[in-house]
Structure formats: structure tokens, C-alpha cells
Amino acid sequence: MIILGIIMLVWTGFTYTKKEKIIDAGPIQISADRQKTVNWPPYVGALLLAGGIVIIVVSKKDDV
């Protein structure tokens, strides 16, 4: 969780390209490349980071 939280704090999203059919009329097909973006707010990474730290601290207290 800690590593994922750090990654999500640094890298707040990504873009990918998807091929979509515009026209599909028998043997004639026309397609276009569309860019899609996936973003997440930085506080999600901070929550994961904090949750991972809490899990480690709680597990250390149980071992003592």
C-alpha cells in the first residue's frame, strides 16, 4: 500500500488510445483513434500511503 500510495502521489493519471469504429457499412469501415484519460486525485495516494504506515505501526505493536 505504501508503494502504491507513493506512485499515485507522483503519477496522477495516464492517457491511452482506443480505436473506435465510426462507420461500419458492410465492406466499408472507418475508424478513428480516440485518446482517453484516467485521472485520480492526489489525496487518494496520500490515504493509501497513510493506511500502509498505520498497518505497519499496528503490526509492530502486536509483535512486542
Side-chain angles (χ1 to χ4, degrees):
M1 275 178 67
I2 293 173
I3 294 171
L4 184 60
I6 292 170
I7 290 170
M8 288 181 74
L9 278 171
V10 174
W11 190 41
T12 59
F14 61 92
T15 302
Y16 65 95
T17 304
K18 182 178 179 182
K19 189 173 286 261
E20 294 181 359
K21 286 186 183 178
I22 304 298
I23 297 174
D24 188 6
I28 299 172
Q29 293 183 357
I30 299 175
S31 62
D33 291 338
R34 304 274 186 198
Q35 284 193 342
K36 305 283 183 173
T37 303
V38 177
N39 290 319
W40 49 83
Y43 68 82
V44 174
L47 288 173
L48 283 172
L49 179 62
I53 292 171
V54 168
I55 289 172
I56 288 176
V57 169
V58 169
S59 68
K60 294 285 184 180
K61 286 183 181 179
D62 289 341
D63 289 340
V64 175

